[in-house]
Amino acid sequence: MKFQEIKHIMVLTGAGISAESGIKTFRDENGLWENHEITEVASPEGFLKNPALVQRFYNARREQLKEVHPNAAHKALAALEKEVPKLTLITQNVDDLHERAGSKNVFHMHGELNKIRNIKTGEVKYTTEAIIEKDFSHWRPDIVWFGEMIKHAEQIEKAAQNCDLFLCIGTSNNVYPAAAIVHRALDVGAICIELNLEETPLSSFYHKSIHGRAGSIVPKFTNELMTNSFQLK
Ligand code: BV8
């Protein structure tokens, strides 16, 4: 397939694409934060048990967004989006680096750090500031915690149903339903390519796995793709 024949690219990204921007991944430091299992600070149970700890976890990560910047991998995806009829970017990441790199069609299936949700009314509002103690019982991070329904399930299903090329970038493919998207893309005959620092449990399902740091392998790949020097199926 030639690049010019591609109508719709679907991309799934994970923490690995933001690692070189200085945002810690989840499982490279065995998913601990302040010696708490990630599921302890990213679950409704954890929030009920210790709301202050969970608010502190997300306040710190929201604050960190102010010091980090998109890297070459984020920028390569934003540039690629301009060269194809459609690119749907699904991210498990809750940072805003894809948008800041210029990507337009972005869906955060696990929520966004810069959004908070009113626990009683469900109202969602944009903020880059910390949730302060007096608001702990009213506002929570608008983040999808373990055991909670992901966001944008319909758009994800629709994109997987009609993409020609599926790129999975910087994820350990441990978390579901994100990791299962490749099966939907394979079902419709899409070419599936994984770009990650290392093998993942799902690498064998991909037509090709490219290993390396996202900041170098992603721009290299998108250039080869756009100049037809990457052999698609
Ligand atoms: C749901 C919150 C049901 C936001 C997150 C048993 C088996 C299978 C599944 C389950 C199970 N038990 C429970 C489940 C379901 C569960 C799940 O999948 N658990 C896993 C852990 C087993 N899933 C859920 O609970 C989901 N909800 O199922 O709901 C339901 C249905 C109907 C109605 C109601 C409920 C919700 C999942 C979302 C959880 N929230 N985060 C936040 O705090 O950020 S998940 C969390 O993990 C982040 O969102 C993160 O994005 C995501 C995935 O992690 P990765 O992005 O892959 O990051 P990781 O560190 O793991 O890997 C980084 C990779 O990058 C590595 O491979 C590394 O090699 C690579 N890398 C590192 N540096 C670089 C690099 N690559 C390139 N360059 C580099 N420089």
Side-chain angles (χ1 to χ4, degrees), residues 13-17 19-20 25-28 38-39 42 57-58 61 92-94 110 143-150 170-177 195-200 212-215 217:
T13 61
I17 200 168
E20 288 160 83
T25 66
F26 287 83
R27 293 167 187 85
D28 291 339
I38 188 75
T39 43
F57 175 50
Y58 286 97
R61 290 169 67 201
Q92 299 172 87
N93 299 339
V94 293
H110 293 164
I143 294 279
V144 177
W145 286 329
F146 286 99
E148 294 187 322
M149 186 68 170
I150 58 155
T171 176
S172 63
N173 275 321
N174 270 306
V175 172
Y176 286 78
L195 297 99
N196 197 56
L197 192 62
E198 59 206 353
E199 287 275 307
T200 74
R213 303 177 69 78
I217 63 173

CSV table of all heavy atoms in Angstrom, one decimal, residues 13-17 19-20 25-28 38-39 42 57-58 61 92-94 110 143-150 170-177 195-200 212-215 217, ligand 1:
chain,number,residue,atom,x,y,z
A,13,THR,N,-1.6,6.1,21.7
A,13,THR,CA,-0.3,6.3,22.4
A,13,THR,C,-0.5,6.1,23.9
A,13,THR,O,-1.6,6.1,24.5
A,13,THR,CB,0.1,7.8,22.3
A,13,THR,OG1,-0.9,8.7,22.8
A,13,THR,CG2,0.3,8.1,20.8
A,14,GLY,N,0.7,5.8,24.5
A,14,GLY,CA,0.8,5.6,26.0
A,14,GLY,C,1.9,6.4,26.6
A,14,GLY,O,2.5,7.2,25.9
A,15,ALA,N,2.2,6.2,27.8
A,15,ALA,CA,3.1,7.0,28.6
A,15,ALA,C,4.5,7.1,28.0
A,15,ALA,O,5.2,8.0,28.1
A,15,ALA,CB,3.2,6.4,30.0
A,16,GLY,N,4.8,6.0,27.2
A,16,GLY,CA,6.2,6.0,26.6
A,16,GLY,C,6.4,7.2,25.6
A,16,GLY,O,7.5,7.6,25.4
A,17,ILE,N,5.3,7.7,25.0
A,17,ILE,CA,5.6,8.8,24.0
A,17,ILE,C,5.9,10.1,24.8
A,17,ILE,O,6.5,11.0,24.2
A,17,ILE,CB,4.4,9.0,23.1
A,17,ILE,CG1,4.8,9.8,21.9
A,17,ILE,CG2,3.2,9.7,23.8
A,17,ILE,CD1,3.8,9.8,20.7
A,19,ALA,N,7.6,10.1,27.8
A,19,ALA,CA,8.7,9.8,28.7
A,19,ALA,C,9.8,10.8,28.4
A,19,ALA,O,10.4,11.4,29.3
A,19,ALA,CB,9.2,8.4,28.5
A,20,GLU,N,10.2,11.0,27.1
A,20,GLU,CA,11.3,11.9,26.8
A,20,GLU,C,11.0,13.4,26.9
A,20,GLU,O,11.8,14.2,26.8
A,20,GLU,CB,11.8,11.6,25.3
A,20,GLU,CG,12.5,10.3,25.2
A,20,GLU,CD,12.5,9.8,23.8
A,20,GLU,OE1,13.4,10.2,23.0
A,20,GLU,OE2,11.6,8.9,23.5
A,25,THR,N,6.7,7.3,33.3
A,25,THR,CA,5.7,6.3,32.8
A,25,THR,C,5.2,5.6,34.1
A,25,THR,O,5.6,5.9,35.2
A,25,THR,CB,6.4,5.3,31.9
A,25,THR,OG1,7.4,4.5,32.7
A,25,THR,CG2,7.1,6.0,30.7
A,26,PHE,N,4.3,4.6,33.9
A,26,PHE,CA,3.7,4.0,35.0
A,26,PHE,C,4.4,2.8,35.5
A,26,PHE,O,4.5,2.5,36.7
A,26,PHE,CB,2.3,3.6,34.6
A,26,PHE,CG,1.4,4.7,34.5
A,26,PHE,CD1,1.4,5.5,33.4
A,26,PHE,CD2,0.7,5.2,35.7
A,26,PHE,CE1,0.6,6.7,33.3
A,26,PHE,CE2,-0.1,6.3,35.6
A,26,PHE,CZ,-0.1,7.1,34.4
A,27,ARG,N,5.0,2.0,34.5
A,27,ARG,CA,5.5,0.7,34.9
A,27,ARG,C,7.0,0.6,34.7
A,27,ARG,O,7.5,-0.5,35.1
A,27,ARG,CB,4.7,-0.4,34.1
A,27,ARG,CG,3.2,-0.4,34.6
A,27,ARG,CD,2.3,-1.2,33.7
A,27,ARG,NE,0.9,-1.0,34.2
A,27,ARG,CZ,0.2,0.1,33.8
A,27,ARG,NH1,0.7,1.0,33.0
A,27,ARG,NH2,-1.0,0.3,34.3
A,28,ASP,N,7.6,1.6,34.2
A,28,ASP,CA,9.1,1.5,34.1
A,28,ASP,C,9.6,1.6,35.5
A,28,ASP,O,10.6,1.0,35.9
A,28,ASP,CB,9.6,2.6,33.2
A,28,ASP,CG,9.2,2.3,31.8
A,28,ASP,OD1,8.8,1.1,31.5
A,28,ASP,OD2,9.1,3.2,31.0
A,38,ILE,N,0.0,2.0,41.7
A,38,ILE,CA,-0.7,2.9,40.8
A,38,ILE,C,-2.2,2.7,41.0
A,38,ILE,O,-3.0,3.7,41.0
A,38,ILE,CB,-0.3,2.8,39.3
A,38,ILE,CG1,-0.9,3.9,38.5
A,38,ILE,CG2,-0.6,1.5,38.8
A,38,ILE,CD1,-0.3,5.2,38.7
A,39,THR,N,-2.6,1.5,41.2
A,39,THR,CA,-4.1,1.2,41.3
A,39,THR,C,-4.6,1.8,42.6
A,39,THR,O,-5.8,2.1,42.8
A,39,THR,CB,-4.4,-0.3,41.3
A,39,THR,OG1,-3.4,-0.9,42.1
A,39,THR,CG2,-4.3,-0.9,39.9
A,42,ALA,N,-5.0,5.5,41.6
A,42,ALA,CA,-5.8,5.7,40.4
A,42,ALA,C,-7.0,4.8,40.4
A,42,ALA,O,-7.3,4.0,39.4
A,42,ALA,CB,-4.9,5.5,39.1
A,57,PHE,N,-1.6,13.4,44.3
A,57,PHE,CA,-1.0,12.7,43.2
A,57,PHE,C,-1.3,13.4,41.9
A,57,PHE,O,-0.5,13.7,41.1
A,57,PHE,CB,-1.6,11.3,43.1
A,57,PHE,CG,-1.2,10.4,42.0
A,57,PHE,CD1,0.2,10.3,41.6
A,57,PHE,CD2,-2.1,9.7,41.2
A,57,PHE,CE1,0.5,9.5,40.5
A,57,PHE,CE2,-1.8,9.0,40.1
A,57,PHE,CZ,-0.5,8.8,39.8
A,58,TYR,N,-2.6,13.8,41.7
A,58,TYR,CA,-3.0,14.5,40.5
A,58,TYR,C,-2.6,16.0,40.5
A,58,TYR,O,-2.2,16.5,39.4
A,58,TYR,CB,-4.5,14.3,40.2
A,58,TYR,CG,-4.7,12.8,39.7
A,58,TYR,CD1,-5.1,11.9,40.6
A,58,TYR,CD2,-4.4,12.5,38.4
A,58,TYR,CE1,-5.3,10.5,40.2
A,58,TYR,CE2,-4.5,11.2,38.0
A,58,TYR,CZ,-5.0,10.2,38.9
A,58,TYR,OH,-5.1,8.9,38.5
A,61,ARG,N,1.0,16.0,39.3
A,61,ARG,CA,1.1,15.8,37.9
A,61,ARG,C,0.6,16.9,37.0
A,61,ARG,O,1.1,17.2,35.9
A,61,ARG,CB,0.4,14.4,37.5
A,61,ARG,CG,1.2,13.2,38.1
A,61,ARG,CD,0.4,12.0,38.0
A,61,ARG,NE,0.3,11.6,36.6
A,61,ARG,CZ,-0.7,10.7,36.2
A,61,ARG,NH1,-1.6,10.3,37.1
A,61,ARG,NH2,-0.8,10.4,35.0
A,92,GLN,N,-3.9,7.2,25.8
A,92,GLN,CA,-4.2,6.8,27.2
A,92,GLN,C,-3.6,7.8,28.2
A,92,GLN,O,-3.8,7.8,29.4
A,92,GLN,CB,-3.5,5.4,27.5
A,92,GLN,CG,-4.0,4.3,26.7
A,92,GLN,CD,-3.1,3.1,26.9
A,92,GLN,OE1,-3.3,2.2,27.8
A,92,GLN,NE2,-2.1,2.9,26.1
A,93,ASN,N,-2.8,8.8,27.6
A,93,ASN,CA,-2.1,9.8,28.4
A,93,ASN,C,-3.1,10.9,28.8
A,93,ASN,O,-4.1,11.2,28.1
A,93,ASN,CB,-1.0,10.4,27.6
A,93,ASN,CG,0.1,9.3,27.3
A,93,ASN,OD1,0.1,8.3,27.9
A,93,ASN,ND2,0.9,9.6,26.3
A,94,VAL,N,-2.8,11.4,30.0
A,94,VAL,CA,-3.7,12.5,30.5
A,94,VAL,C,-3.0,13.8,30.4
A,94,VAL,O,-3.6,14.8,30.8
A,94,VAL,CB,-4.1,12.1,32.0
A,94,VAL,CG1,-5.0,10.9,32.0
A,94,VAL,CG2,-2.9,11.9,32.9
A,110,HIS,N,-8.5,8.0,28.8
A,110,HIS,CA,-8.4,7.9,30.3
A,110,HIS,C,-8.5,9.2,31.0
A,110,HIS,O,-8.2,9.3,32.1
A,110,HIS,CB,-7.1,7.2,30.7
A,110,HIS,CG,-7.0,5.8,30.2
A,110,HIS,ND1,-5.8,5.1,30.2
A,110,HIS,CD2,-7.9,4.9,29.8
A,110,HIS,CE1,-6.0,3.9,29.7
A,110,HIS,NE2,-7.3,3.7,29.5
A,143,ILE,N,-10.5,12.0,35.5
A,143,ILE,CA,-9.6,11.0,35.0
A,143,ILE,C,-10.3,9.6,35.1
A,143,ILE,O,-11.2,9.4,36.0
A,143,ILE,CB,-8.4,10.9,36.0
A,143,ILE,CG1,-7.6,12.2,35.9
A,143,ILE,CG2,-7.5,9.7,35.8
A,143,ILE,CD1,-6.6,12.3,34.7
A,144,VAL,N,-10.1,8.7,34.2
A,144,VAL,CA,-10.7,7.4,34.3
A,144,VAL,C,-9.8,6.5,35.2
A,144,VAL,O,-8.7,6.2,34.8
A,144,VAL,CB,-10.8,6.8,32.9
A,144,VAL,CG1,-11.4,5.3,33.0
A,144,VAL,CG2,-11.7,7.6,32.0
A,145,TRP,N,-10.3,6.1,36.3
A,145,TRP,CA,-9.6,5.3,37.2
A,145,TRP,C,-9.8,3.8,37.0
A,145,TRP,O,-10.8,3.5,36.2
A,145,TRP,CB,-10.0,5.6,38.7
A,145,TRP,CG,-9.4,6.9,39.1
A,145,TRP,CD1,-8.2,7.5,38.7
A,145,TRP,CD2,-10.0,7.8,40.1
A,145,TRP,NE1,-8.0,8.7,39.4
A,145,TRP,CE2,-9.1,8.9,40.2
A,145,TRP,CE3,-11.1,7.9,40.8
A,145,TRP,CZ2,-9.3,10.0,41.0
A,145,TRP,CZ3,-11.4,9.0,41.6
A,145,TRP,CH2,-10.5,10.0,41.7
A,146,PHE,N,-9.0,2.9,37.5
A,146,PHE,CA,-9.2,1.5,37.3
A,146,PHE,C,-10.6,1.1,37.8
A,146,PHE,O,-11.1,1.6,38.9
A,146,PHE,CB,-8.2,0.7,38.0
A,146,PHE,CG,-6.8,0.8,37.3
A,146,PHE,CD1,-5.9,1.7,37.8
A,146,PHE,CD2,-6.6,0.1,36.2
A,146,PHE,CE1,-4.7,1.8,37.1
A,146,PHE,CE2,-5.4,0.2,35.5
A,146,PHE,CZ,-4.4,1.1,36.0
A,147,GLY,N,-11.3,0.4,37.0
A,147,GLY,CA,-12.7,-0.1,37.3
A,147,GLY,C,-13.7,0.9,36.8
A,147,GLY,O,-14.9,0.7,36.9
A,148,GLU,N,-13.3,2.0,36.2
A,148,GLU,CA,-14.3,3.0,35.7
A,148,GLU,C,-14.3,2.9,34.1
A,148,GLU,O,-13.3,2.5,33.5
A,148,GLU,CB,-13.8,4.5,36.1
A,148,GLU,CG,-13.9,4.7,37.6
A,148,GLU,CD,-13.7,6.1,38.0
A,148,GLU,OE1,-12.8,6.8,37.4
A,148,GLU,OE2,-14.4,6.6,38.9
A,149,MET,N,-15.4,3.2,33.6
A,149,MET,CA,-15.7,3.2,32.1
A,149,MET,C,-14.7,4.2,31.4
A,149,MET,O,-14.6,5.3,31.9
A,149,MET,CB,-17.1,3.5,31.9
A,149,MET,CG,-17.6,3.4,30.5
A,149,MET,SD,-17.6,1.7,30.1
A,149,MET,CE,-18.4,1.8,28.5
A,150,ILE,N,-14.1,3.7,30.3
A,150,ILE,CA,-13.3,4.7,29.6
A,150,ILE,C,-14.1,5.7,28.9
A,150,ILE,O,-15.3,5.5,28.7
A,150,ILE,CB,-12.4,3.9,28.5
A,150,ILE,CG1,-13.3,3.1,27.6
A,150,ILE,CG2,-11.4,3.0,29.2
A,150,ILE,CD1,-12.7,2.9,26.2
A,170,GLY,N,4.4,3.6,22.4
A,170,GLY,CA,4.8,4.0,23.8
A,170,GLY,C,3.8,3.4,24.8
A,170,GLY,O,3.6,4.1,25.8
A,171,THR,N,3.3,2.2,24.6
A,171,THR,CA,2.5,1.7,25.6
A,171,THR,C,2.9,0.2,25.9
A,171,THR,O,3.3,-0.5,25.0
A,171,THR,CB,0.9,1.7,25.3
A,171,THR,OG1,0.2,1.1,26.3
A,171,THR,CG2,0.6,1.1,24.0
A,172,SER,N,2.8,-0.2,27.2
A,172,SER,CA,3.2,-1.5,27.6
A,172,SER,C,2.1,-2.5,27.2
A,172,SER,O,2.2,-3.7,27.4
A,172,SER,CB,3.4,-1.6,29.1
A,172,SER,OG,2.2,-1.3,29.8
A,173,ASN,N,0.9,-2.0,26.7
A,173,ASN,CA,-0.2,-2.9,26.3
A,173,ASN,C,-0.6,-3.8,27.5
A,173,ASN,O,-0.9,-5.0,27.3
A,173,ASN,CB,0.1,-3.7,25.1
A,173,ASN,CG,-0.2,-2.9,23.8
A,173,ASN,OD1,-1.2,-2.1,23.8
A,173,ASN,ND2,0.7,-2.9,22.8
A,174,ASN,N,-0.6,-3.2,28.7
A,174,ASN,CA,-1.1,-3.9,29.9
A,174,ASN,C,-2.5,-3.6,30.2
A,174,ASN,O,-3.1,-4.3,31.0
A,174,ASN,CB,-0.2,-3.4,31.1
A,174,ASN,CG,1.0,-4.3,31.3
A,174,ASN,OD1,0.9,-5.5,31.4
A,174,ASN,ND2,2.2,-3.6,31.3
A,175,VAL,N,-3.0,-2.4,29.8
A,175,VAL,CA,-4.2,-1.9,30.3
A,175,VAL,C,-5.3,-2.1,29.2
A,175,VAL,O,-5.1,-1.8,28.1
A,175,VAL,CB,-4.1,-0.4,30.7
A,175,VAL,CG1,-5.4,0.2,31.0
A,175,VAL,CG2,-3.1,-0.3,31.9
A,176,TYR,N,-6.5,-2.6,29.7
A,176,TYR,CA,-7.6,-2.9,28.8
A,176,TYR,C,-8.7,-1.9,29.2
A,176,TYR,O,-8.8,-1.4,30.3
A,176,TYR,CB,-8.1,-4.3,29.0
A,176,TYR,CG,-7.1,-5.3,28.3
A,176,TYR,CD1,-5.9,-5.6,29.0
A,176,TYR,CD2,-7.4,-5.7,27.1
A,176,TYR,CE1,-5.0,-6.4,28.4
A,176,TYR,CE2,-6.5,-6.6,26.4
A,176,TYR,CZ,-5.3,-6.9,27.1
A,176,TYR,OH,-4.4,-7.7,26.5
A,177,PRO,N,-9.6,-1.5,28.2
A,177,PRO,CA,-9.6,-2.1,26.8
A,177,PRO,C,-8.7,-1.4,25.8
A,177,PRO,O,-8.7,-1.8,24.7
A,177,PRO,CB,-11.1,-1.7,26.4
A,177,PRO,CG,-11.4,-0.5,27.2
A,177,PRO,CD,-10.7,-0.6,28.5
A,195,LEU,N,5.3,0.7,17.9
A,195,LEU,CA,6.5,1.4,18.1
A,195,LEU,C,6.7,1.6,19.6
A,195,LEU,O,5.9,2.4,20.2
A,195,LEU,CB,6.5,2.8,17.4
A,195,LEU,CG,6.4,2.7,15.9
A,195,LEU,CD1,4.9,3.0,15.4
A,195,LEU,CD2,7.3,3.8,15.2
A,196,ASN,N,7.7,1.0,20.2
A,196,ASN,CA,7.9,1.0,21.6
A,196,ASN,C,9.3,0.8,22.0
A,196,ASN,O,10.1,0.3,21.2
A,196,ASN,CB,6.9,0.0,22.3
A,196,ASN,CG,6.8,0.2,23.8
A,196,ASN,OD1,6.3,1.3,24.2
A,196,ASN,ND2,7.1,-0.8,24.6
A,197,LEU,N,9.7,1.1,23.3
A,197,LEU,CA,11.1,0.9,23.7
A,197,LEU,C,11.4,-0.6,23.6
A,197,LEU,O,12.5,-1.0,23.3
A,197,LEU,CB,11.3,1.5,25.1
A,197,LEU,CG,12.7,1.6,25.6
A,197,LEU,CD1,13.5,2.6,24.7
A,197,LEU,CD2,12.7,2.1,27.0
A,198,GLU,N,10.4,-1.4,24.0
A,198,GLU,CA,10.7,-2.8,24.0
A,198,GLU,C,9.5,-3.6,23.6
A,198,GLU,O,8.4,-3.1,23.4
A,198,GLU,CB,11.1,-3.2,25.5
A,198,GLU,CG,9.9,-2.9,26.5
A,198,GLU,CD,10.4,-2.6,27.9
A,198,GLU,OE1,11.6,-2.8,28.2
A,198,GLU,OE2,9.6,-2.2,28.7
A,199,GLU,N,9.6,-4.9,23.5
A,199,GLU,CA,8.5,-5.9,23.3
A,199,GLU,C,7.4,-5.6,24.2
A,199,GLU,O,7.6,-5.2,25.4
A,199,GLU,CB,9.0,-7.3,23.5
A,199,GLU,CG,10.0,-7.8,22.5
A,199,GLU,CD,9.2,-8.4,21.3
A,199,GLU,OE1,8.4,-9.3,21.5
A,199,GLU,OE2,9.5,-8.0,20.2
A,200,THR,N,6.2,-5.9,23.8
A,200,THR,CA,5.1,-5.9,24.8
A,200,THR,C,4.4,-7.3,24.7
A,200,THR,O,4.6,-8.1,23.7
A,200,THR,CB,4.1,-4.8,24.4
A,200,THR,OG1,3.3,-5.2,23.3
A,200,THR,CG2,4.7,-3.5,24.2
A,212,GLY,N,12.7,1.2,20.1
A,212,GLY,CA,13.7,2.4,20.3
A,212,GLY,C,12.9,3.5,21.1
A,212,GLY,O,11.8,3.3,21.5
A,213,ARG,N,13.6,4.6,21.2
A,213,ARG,CA,13.0,5.7,22.0
A,213,ARG,C,12.1,6.5,21.0
A,213,ARG,O,12.5,6.8,19.9
A,213,ARG,CB,14.1,6.6,22.5
A,213,ARG,CG,15.1,5.9,23.4
A,213,ARG,CD,16.2,6.8,23.9
A,213,ARG,NE,15.7,7.8,24.8
A,213,ARG,CZ,15.5,7.5,26.1
A,213,ARG,NH1,15.7,6.3,26.6
A,213,ARG,NH2,15.0,8.5,26.9
A,214,ALA,N,10.9,6.8,21.5
A,214,ALA,CA,9.9,7.4,20.6
A,214,ALA,C,10.4,8.6,19.9
A,214,ALA,O,10.1,8.9,18.7
A,214,ALA,CB,8.6,7.7,21.4
A,215,GLY,N,11.2,9.4,20.6
A,215,GLY,CA,11.7,10.7,20.1
A,215,GLY,C,12.5,10.5,18.8
A,215,GLY,O,12.6,11.4,18.0
A,217,ILE,N,12.4,7.0,17.0
A,217,ILE,CA,11.8,6.1,16.0
A,217,ILE,C,10.5,6.6,15.4
A,217,ILE,O,10.2,6.2,14.3
A,217,ILE,CB,11.6,4.7,16.7
A,217,ILE,CG1,10.6,4.8,17.8
A,217,ILE,CG2,12.9,4.0,17.0
A,217,ILE,CD1,10.2,3.4,18.4
B,1,BV8,C1,-12.5,-0.8,32.8
B,1,BV8,C2,-5.5,6.8,35.0
B,1,BV8,C3,-14.7,-1.7,33.2
B,1,BV8,C4,-5.0,8.1,34.5
B,1,BV8,C5,-5.3,4.7,34.0
B,1,BV8,C6,-7.3,-8.4,34.5
B,1,BV8,C7,-6.9,-8.6,33.2
B,1,BV8,C8,-7.2,-7.6,32.2
B,1,BV8,C9,-7.9,-6.5,32.5
B,1,BV8,C10,-8.3,-6.2,33.8
B,1,BV8,C11,-8.0,-7.2,34.8
B,1,BV8,N1,-8.5,-6.7,36.0
B,1,BV8,C12,-9.0,-5.5,35.8
B,1,BV8,C13,-8.9,-5.2,34.4
B,1,BV8,C14,-9.4,-3.9,33.7
B,1,BV8,C15,-8.4,-2.8,34.0
B,1,BV8,C16,-7.0,-3.2,33.5
B,1,BV8,O1,-6.8,-3.2,32.3
B,1,BV8,N2,-6.1,-3.5,34.5
B,1,BV8,C17,-4.8,-3.9,34.1
B,1,BV8,C18,-3.8,-3.1,35.0
B,1,BV8,C19,-4.7,-5.3,34.3
B,1,BV8,N3,-8.9,-1.7,33.2
B,1,BV8,C20,-9.7,-0.8,33.7
B,1,BV8,O2,-10.1,-0.8,34.9
B,1,BV8,C21,-10.3,0.2,32.8
B,1,BV8,N4,-11.7,0.3,33.0
B,1,BV8,O3,-12.1,-1.9,32.5
B,1,BV8,O4,-13.8,-0.6,33.2
B,1,BV8,C22,-16.0,-1.1,33.2
B,1,BV8,C23,-16.9,-1.5,32.1
B,1,BV8,C24,-18.2,-1.0,32.1
B,1,BV8,C25,-18.6,-0.1,33.1
B,1,BV8,C26,-17.7,0.3,34.1
B,1,BV8,C27,-16.5,-0.3,34.2
B,1,BV8,C28,-9.8,1.6,33.0
B,1,BV8,C29,-8.4,1.6,32.7
B,1,BV8,C30,-7.9,3.1,32.8
B,1,BV8,C31,-7.2,3.2,34.1
B,1,BV8,N5,-6.5,4.5,34.3
B,1,BV8,N6,-4.8,5.8,34.3
B,1,BV8,C32,-3.7,8.4,35.0
B,1,BV8,O5,-3.5,8.4,36.2
B,1,BV8,O6,-2.8,8.5,34.2
B,1,BV8,S1,-4.3,3.5,33.3
B,1,BV8,C33,-2.7,4.0,33.2
B,1,BV8,O7,-2.1,3.0,32.5
B,1,BV8,C34,-2.5,5.3,32.4
B,1,BV8,O8,-3.7,5.8,31.7
B,1,BV8,C35,-1.6,4.7,31.3
B,1,BV8,O9,-1.7,5.4,30.1
B,1,BV8,C36,-2.1,3.4,31.1
B,1,BV8,C37,-1.3,2.4,30.3
B,1,BV8,O10,0.0,2.5,30.7
B,1,BV8,P1,1.1,2.9,29.6
B,1,BV8,O11,0.6,4.2,29.0
B,1,BV8,O12,1.2,1.7,28.7
B,1,BV8,O13,2.3,3.1,30.4
B,1,BV8,P2,3.4,2.0,31.0
B,1,BV8,O14,4.2,2.7,32.0
B,1,BV8,O15,2.6,0.8,31.4
B,1,BV8,O16,4.2,1.6,29.7
B,1,BV8,C38,5.1,2.6,29.1
B,1,BV8,C39,5.7,1.9,27.9
B,1,BV8,O17,6.5,2.9,27.2
B,1,BV8,C40,6.6,0.7,28.2
B,1,BV8,O18,6.3,-0.4,27.4
B,1,BV8,C41,8.0,1.3,28.0
B,1,BV8,O19,8.8,0.2,27.4
B,1,BV8,C42,7.7,2.3,26.9
B,1,BV8,N7,8.7,3.4,27.0
B,1,BV8,C43,9.3,4.0,28.0
B,1,BV8,N8,10.1,5.0,27.6
B,1,BV8,C44,10.0,5.1,26.3
B,1,BV8,C45,9.1,4.1,25.9
B,1,BV8,N9,8.7,3.9,24.6
B,1,BV8,C46,9.3,4.7,23.7
B,1,BV8,N10,10.2,5.7,24.0
B,1,BV8,C47,10.5,5.9,25.3
B,1,BV8,N11,11.4,6.9,25.6
